[in-house]
Every structure is written in structure tokens, then in C-alpha cells.
Amino acid sequence: MNPFDLQRDAFGLWVLVMPDGTRHSPITALRAYPVSAPDEGVALMDAEGHEIFWIDALAHLAEPLRSQVVQALNEREFLPEILQLSAVSSFATPSTWSVQTDRGATQFLLKGEEDIRRLTGTVLLINDANGVQFMIRDLAAMDKHSRKLLDRFL
């Protein structure tokens, strides 16, 4: 038996239904560690920001409940992953970067080298001029051309 049910109401908002029938709406799903452990530690929060239910690991949920939680997470999160750097307009900032992401090709403006943060040895978080965050999940796994371009900014 599932520890809870997640449904949509008539307005498309997520509703958390507990086994005793208690309903909480609207519900927002939040990852505790979106970069280092994206499939562990998910909180289901009410509109006031109170945690209603804690999920230790998404793998512990049965399908289709896991898919619903992942869908609720994806609706809230937007963190494109850079897969390849195609080109940079200049090695001095500000510069325009042309990249391939897991959501397609795009360009963004990097205002300064301080907008590139190293989270771990291989994970980078890059903020563009509009406040959008991009992630490089594994710097070492990127192609040689991309690493060469990145080395100029790190």
C-alpha cells in the first residue's frame, strides 16, 4: 500500500491524500539535494511552506506514484544540464555561450567568471545574465573541445 496518494484537482493543482482521507492542497514537491542526490530526500510542502510528507528515496515509491512525484518536481524545477559547449564569443567576460543542453541548443550571456561556481570536483553551476541556472554534471565527461573552452573561464 502506498503511504499517500497524489492527485490533481479541477484546477490542475497537486493534492496530497493521506491514507486516513486527509487532503492537503495545493502541494509542492521539493528536492532536498537537487544536485548531489536528486532522487533522495523529497519534501511535499503545503502553500505555507510546511512539510506535510517526507520521501526518503523516490525508489521506495511504487509506480505510478513515483511518476506523479517526479512530474510534480519537474513542473517546479528548471535546471538545464549543459552537455556540450559549441562556442563562446570571447574569452573575456561578458561573453555569449552557445551550448547544447539536455533540453536543446541555446545561447546565454555570461556576465563574469564569478557566475561559474564549482559545487564539487566535477559539478559546475553557471548563472546567465537573466538568472537562469545551468548545470554541468560531470566536467570530466565532457568532450575535449568543451573542456578546452571551459578551462579559459575556470
Side-chain angles (χ1 to χ4, degrees), residues 5 16 23 33-34 42 55-57 95 100 102 117-118 129 142 154:
D5 190 22
L16 174 66
R23 301 173 69 83
Y33 310 102
V42 175
I55 303 165
D56 287 325
S95 64
Q100 289 290 330
D102 59 342
R117 292 185 298 149
R118 188 178 295 268
M142 295 190 81
L154 298 177

Coordinates of all heavy atoms in Angstrom, one line a residue, residues 5 16 23 33-34 42 55-57 95 100 102 117-118 129 142 154:
D5 N -1.4 9.3 -1.6 CA -1.8 9.4 -3.0 C -1.6 10.8 -3.4 O -1.8 11.8 -2.6 CB -3.3 9.0 -3.1 CG -3.6 8.8 -4.6 OD1 -2.7 8.6 -5.4 OD2 -4.8 8.9 -4.9
L16 N -2.4 16.2 -2.0 CA -1.9 15.1 -1.3 C -3.0 14.5 -0.5 O -3.7 15.2 0.3 CB -0.8 15.5 -0.3 CG -0.2 14.5 0.6 CD1 0.6 13.4 -0.2 CD2 0.8 15.2 1.6
R23 N -6.9 15.5 3.2 CA -6.4 16.1 1.9 C -5.7 17.4 2.2 O -6.1 18.2 3.0 CB -7.6 16.4 1.0 CG -8.4 15.1 0.7 CD -9.7 15.4 -0.1 NE -9.5 15.9 -1.4 CZ -9.2 15.1 -2.5 NH1 -9.2 13.8 -2.4 NH2 -9.0 15.6 -3.7
Y33 N 18.2 17.8 -2.0 CA 19.6 17.9 -2.6 C 19.5 17.7 -4.1 O 19.8 16.7 -4.6 CB 20.5 16.8 -2.0 CG 20.4 16.8 -0.5 CD1 19.7 15.8 0.2 CD2 21.1 17.7 0.3 CE1 19.6 15.8 1.6 CE2 21.0 17.8 1.7 CZ 20.3 16.8 2.3 OH 20.2 16.8 3.7
P34 N 19.0 18.8 -4.8 CA 18.7 18.6 -6.2 C 20.0 18.3 -7.1 O 19.8 17.7 -8.1 CB 18.2 20.0 -6.6 CG 18.6 20.9 -5.6 CD 18.8 20.1 -4.3
V42 N 12.9 14.1 -0.7 CA 11.9 14.9 -1.4 C 10.8 15.3 -0.3 O 10.3 14.4 0.3 CB 11.2 14.2 -2.6 CG1 10.1 15.0 -3.2 CG2 12.3 13.9 -3.6
I55 N 9.8 12.1 1.7 CA 10.1 10.8 1.0 C 11.6 10.6 1.0 O 12.4 11.5 0.5 CB 9.6 11.0 -0.5 CG1 8.1 11.3 -0.6 CG2 10.0 9.7 -1.3 CD1 7.7 11.8 -1.9
D56 N 12.0 9.6 1.7 CA 13.5 9.3 1.8 C 14.1 9.1 0.5 O 15.2 9.6 0.2 CB 13.7 8.1 2.7 CG 13.5 8.4 4.2 OD1 13.7 9.5 4.6 OD2 13.0 7.5 4.9
A57 N 13.5 8.3 -0.4 CA 14.0 8.0 -1.7 C 12.9 7.7 -2.7 O 12.0 7.0 -2.3 CB 15.0 6.8 -1.7
S95 N 30.5 37.4 -22.2 CA 30.6 36.6 -23.4 C 29.4 35.8 -23.6 O 28.7 35.5 -22.7 CB 31.8 35.7 -23.4 OG 31.7 34.7 -22.4
Q100 N 24.8 23.1 -26.0 CA 23.8 22.0 -26.2 C 23.5 21.6 -24.8 O 24.3 21.2 -24.0 CB 24.4 20.8 -27.0 CG 24.7 21.1 -28.4 CD 23.4 21.2 -29.2 OE1 22.4 20.6 -28.9 NE2 23.4 22.0 -30.3
D102 N 20.4 19.3 -22.2 CA 19.5 18.2 -22.3 C 18.1 18.6 -22.7 O 17.3 17.8 -23.0 CB 19.4 17.5 -20.9 CG 19.0 18.4 -19.8 OD1 19.0 19.7 -19.9 OD2 18.6 17.9 -18.7
R117 N 30.2 28.6 -10.6 CA 30.5 28.1 -9.3 C 30.8 26.6 -9.4 O 30.0 25.8 -10.0 CB 29.4 28.3 -8.3 CG 29.2 29.8 -8.0 CD 28.1 30.0 -7.0 NE 26.9 29.5 -7.4 CZ 25.9 29.0 -6.7 NH1 26.1 28.9 -5.4 NH2 24.8 28.6 -7.2
R118 N 31.8 26.1 -8.7 CA 32.2 24.7 -8.6 C 31.5 24.2 -7.4 O 31.8 24.6 -6.3 CB 33.7 24.5 -8.5 CG 34.1 23.1 -8.6 CD 35.6 23.0 -8.6 NE 36.3 23.6 -9.7 CZ 36.6 22.9 -10.9 NH1 36.3 21.6 -11.0 NH2 37.2 23.5 -11.8
A129 N 23.0 35.8 -17.5 CA 22.7 37.2 -17.2 C 21.2 37.4 -16.8 O 20.9 38.4 -16.2 CB 23.1 38.1 -18.4
M142 N 32.8 15.6 -20.3 CA 32.6 16.5 -21.4 C 33.6 16.2 -22.5 O 34.8 15.8 -22.2 CB 32.5 17.9 -21.0 CG 31.4 18.2 -20.1 SD 31.1 20.0 -19.9 CE 30.2 20.4 -21.4
L154 N 37.8 28.9 -16.0 CA 37.9 28.3 -14.6 C 39.2 28.7 -14.0 O 40.2 29.0 -14.6 CB 37.7 26.8 -14.7 CG 36.4 26.3 -15.2 CD1 36.4 24.8 -15.2 CD2 35.3 26.8 -14.2

